[in-house]
Amino acid sequence: MQQRGMVIVGAGQTGGRAALTLREQGYDGRIVLIGDEPAPPYERPPLSKAFLTGKAEAAAFTFAAEDALRKAGIELRAPARAAAIDRGRQEIVLAGGERIPYDRLLLATGRAARRLPLAPAVADRVHYLRTLADADRLKQGLARGGDLVVIGGGFIGLEVAASAVALGCRVTVVELAPRLLARAVPVPLAEIVAARHRAAGVELILNATVRALGVAEGGGLRVELLDGRVLAADHVLAGIGAVPRDRLAAEAGLPVDGGIVVDAMLATSDPMIFAAGDVCAFPCGNGGLARLEAWKNADAQGALAARNMLGAGEAYRELPWFWSDQYELTLQVAGWPERGARLVERSVPGGRLLFHLDAAARLVGVSSIGPASVAKEVLLARMLLERGLSPAAAQLADPAQKLKALLR
Ligand SMILES: Cc1cc2nc3c(=O)[nH]c(=O)nc-3n(C[C@H](O)[C@H](O)[C@H](O)COP(=O)(O)OP(=O)(O)OC[C@H]3O[C@@H](n4cnc5c(N)ncnc54)[C@H](O)[C@@H]3O)c2cc1C
């Protein structure tokens, strides 16, 4: 009989980090990491930035290369798809029928790019960006230059827009909402992002709905907007969000609610099964569930899930934090800005730094934009938040008041 052990489904940031952490924690049993991509675990952030512009190759952001996994005694099964969980027998069933037994199971299946409902002839020509294979295909397309239409003014779409400009493409971004980054970024910062894209020659079409996509007579693509406008495109990228890959869990009878529902220890309703990273919905401290799509969260939850699979019983306490690089600007959002009732601005050279205070004047979020020179101030601002400190608004706003001094 096969030895039981730790099984991880999904060899992304979360799954890869969890596998490495299990060994770092001294676990000496069997570890199986199952991934349906052909590549070993790699970081996704460079896909829309340095990889697309040719500044970094995949090896540079592969954080658990096959060699390292082999040395750590981690069995990478890739490409292999987990098709079902047999909870009664504590086994994962692969698409080919093979069964892998587990003592503890981690579901780290992440998200998939949301697709546009399109006829097959057009669907094959539209790009999405989630995987290295997607990025490779997009990179080859953009290398030919021409017109790129980006559908969706969120992070992925805007990062690709900035990279495509660097590659010499003409770029148009079509966004449904009246502004960019409506889901996660406060208005003043989103306006700076919009201005920077316009300065780079990107056309932003806001308040616009794509009605249809088709193939034009010359072989290019036609993007028809609801208001009758027609955009000609050599390439189309749809960056319209990502959906949790929670089907395995749902079919196994585990609760899902916009992601696999876990407790503060990242355990599902089955104590043998954990879920972490982009695919999970976890308690966020105000009685609700958070569903984050961010590198830091994936990495930290992967490590914590591994410790908890070994019985540590630790609650997840990391502060949400994500960044987005576009042109020379880095945008950062930390904490829970949506819980804020009031914005306090601190002047920082070359950028903007906003503190989000709730109705009781508690610091609940920090957001910023700027070149690398603002990074230090932002780091201190995040530390205030992490430590649960709430200095007076006047102190936060006063550039003569050192943030470091407020940390004491
Ligand atoms: C292009 C891009 C740029 C990004 N840039 C940033 C950034 O600048 N800053 C930031 O904070 N965050 C960024 N992110 C978000 C960050 O990369 C994600 O939050 C992180 O990758 C989530 O990791 P994960 O392991 O939970 O999920 P994923 O990365 O989605 O990995 C899940 C893996 O599981 C596999 N899988 C799913 N189902 C199965 C199955 N049944 N069997 C086997 N394998 C399966 C998937 O194929 C995938 O390989 C970016 C994401 C993308 C796509």
Side-chain angles (χ1 to χ4, degrees):
M1 203 186 93
Q2 265 186 322
Q3 181 199 358
R4 279 188 193 276
M6 302 297 181
V7 175
I8 300 168
V9 180
Q13 190 68 44
T14 306
R17 178 60 59 217
L20 295 173
T21 305
L22 284 168
R23 277 291 179 254
E24 283 155 19
Q25 294 289 308
Y27 177 72
D28 61 3
R30 185 179 190 212
I31 303 174
V32 185
L33 179 59
I34 304 164
D36 63 0
E37 291 183 64
Y42 61 89
E43 321 254 348
R44 290 185 205 277
L47 296 183
S48 45
K49 314 169 186 90
F51 179 78
L52 218 47
T53 53
K55 291 192 187 127
E57 289 306 316
F61 49 88
T62 297
F63 68 95
E66 278 172 57
D67 224 27
L69 292 175
R70 207 174 306 117
K71 276 190 197 134
I74 295 164
E75 293 173 42
L76 175 66
R77 305 292 299 270
R81 190 172 61 80
I85 310 170
D86 182 338
R87 286 172 57 193
R89 295 171 64 174
Q90 287 187 221
E91 290 174 347
I92 272 288
V93 186
L94 297 188
E98 184 188 346
R99 288 175 164 260
I100 304 177
Y102 62 83
D103 288 313
R104 297 286 181 280
L105 171 67
L106 173 62
L107 298 174
T109 45
R111 288 180 175 249
R114 179 173 285 123
R115 306 260 150 179
L116 288 167
L118 294 170
V122 187
D124 287 349
R125 305 261 316 259
V126 172
H127 290 276
Y128 299 89
L129 181 50
R130 184 77 199 177
T131 65
L132 188 55
D134 295 338
D136 213 24
R137 184 171 159 252
L138 179 61
K139 186 178 177 177
Q140 285 174 35
L142 297 183
R144 295 195 294 273
D147 289 297
L148 167 69
V149 171
V150 173
I151 302 174
F155 289 111
I156 301 284
L158 294 174
E159 289 179 2
V160 170
S163 296
V165 166
L167 291 168
C169 296
R170 284 179 303 275
V171 183
T172 305
V173 176
V174 180
E175 165 59 45
L176 189 69
R179 72 167 178 102
L180 299 179
L181 299 167
R183 203 155 62 95
V185 174
V187 174
L189 304 192
E191 280 172 355
I192 293 175
V193 174
R196 183 65 187 88
H197 277 280
R198 288 193 177 108
V202 174
E203 187 183 356
L204 302 178
I205 307 181
L206 304 175
N207 279 314
T209 306
V210 173
R211 188 183 56 186
L213 269 163
V215 179
E217 273 182 14
L221 290 164
R222 286 165 52 88
V223 181
E224 294 176 28
L225 305 186
L226 204 56
D227 65 8
R229 269 183 285 185
V230 177
L231 310 172
D234 299 294
H235 327 278
V236 172
L237 171 96
I240 52 171
V243 289
R245 296 183 67 176
D246 54 13
R247 193 184 53 80
L248 264 184
E251 287 178 2
L254 299 170
V256 297
D257 177 5
I260 306 172
V261 177
V262 292
D263 64 16
M265 261 71 78
L266 307 178
T268 65
S269 62
D270 179 335
M272 302 302 156
I273 306 180
F274 292 74
D278 276 18
V279 77
C280 82
F282 65 97
C284 59
N286 67 353
L289 291 172
R291 298 156 189 88
L292 300 182
E293 296 172 50
W295 178 91
K296 181 75 177 93
N297 180 65
D299 198 64
Q301 287 197 341
L304 181 73
R307 295 199 295 278
N308 285 346
M309 287 162 85
L310 298 173
E314 285 171 49
Y316 186 68
R317 294 194 203 288
E318 285 286 331
L319 192 74
W321 170 60
F322 69 82
W323 79 92
S324 172
D325 294 322
Q326 296 168 39
Y327 310 100
E328 71 290 353
L329 299 175
T330 297
L331 179 72
Q332 297 189 59
V333 179
W336 309 99
E338 65 282 7
R339 294 181 194 166
R342 175 183 170 204
L343 282 180
V344 173
E345 176 148 13
R346 179 178 179 88
S347 123
V348 286
R352 295 189 72 173
L353 173 54
L354 304 175
F355 290 95
H356 302 252
L357 308 188
D358 71 5
R362 281 183 305 240
L363 180 60
V364 289
V366 169
S367 54
S368 70
I369 193 163
S373 56
V374 306
K376 203 170 150 220
E377 285 283 271
V378 178
L379 187 66
L380 292 167
R382 278 171 48 202
M383 286 168 75
L384 283 173
L385 197 56
E386 263 158 13
R387 295 190 191 175
L389 299 168
S390 289
Q395 286 181 305
L396 293 172
D398 179 4
Q401 166 69 59
K402 293 227 175 311
L403 290 182
K404 201 169 178 183
L406 299 176
L407 283 166
R408 285 184 208 124

